[in-house]
Amino acid sequence: EKFKRLKNEGNDFVKMGEYEEAANKYSECMKLNTEECTVYTNRALCYLKLCKYEEAKRDCDHVLQIEDSNIKAFYRRALAYKGLQVRKKNMPG
């Protein structure tokens, strides 16, 4: 099935540290199935690695709307908030 293949390709990219590529694969997965939470938490991980904290937070929020006890989503959203706070602190102005 295409979805599974894309997800596995995404996972392989993550293992290689190719987070940009992995995020793209997970995004393609979402077009096929918006209910699959793991794809969102996986993409959130990629976004965290890429310092895209807003995007990571959004993916986690999405998961928590579907599955309000998803531990990975909670954890990664916390990391996203932390990243956003650090960034705010370090901004000039």
Side-chain angles (χ1 to χ4, degrees):
E1 192 191 331
K2 191 178 179 194
F3 177 84
K4 213 171 252 158
R5 197 190 73 233
L6 286 168
K7 187 177 159 188
N8 289 336
E9 286 173 9
N11 294 348
D12 290 339
F13 277 126
V14 168
K15 286 183 196 119
M16 295 187 290
E18 304 278 350
Y19 300 110
E20 198 74 65
E21 299 293 334
N24 291 338
K25 291 291 176 191
Y26 296 136
S27 301
E28 283 181 51
C29 285
M30 288 163 196
K31 289 177 196 153
L32 300 172
N33 178 357
T34 52
E35 299 299 307
E36 173 76 55
C37 290
T38 50
V39 191
Y40 285 90
T41 51
N42 288 3
R43 190 172 71 170
L45 171 73
C46 296
Y47 284 149
L48 287 170
K49 297 283 188 187
L50 297 164
C51 300
K52 295 183 174 178
Y53 302 116
E54 276 297 337
E55 291 90 335
K57 189 175 90 61
R58 207 177 307 134
D59 277 354
C60 293
D61 286 340
H62 177 85
V63 171
L64 292 168
Q65 279 169 359
I66 302 170
E67 233 176 73
D68 60 3
S69 60
N70 188 302
I71 302 296
K72 275 186 180 169
F74 270 116
Y75 178 65
R76 290 181 181 159
R77 184 167 69 172
L79 292 177
Y81 274 119
K82 202 172 137 194
L84 288 168
Q85 277 166 346
V86 168
R87 180 177 288 170
K88 217 177 286 171
K89 214 167 49 193
N90 295 336
M91 269 188 181

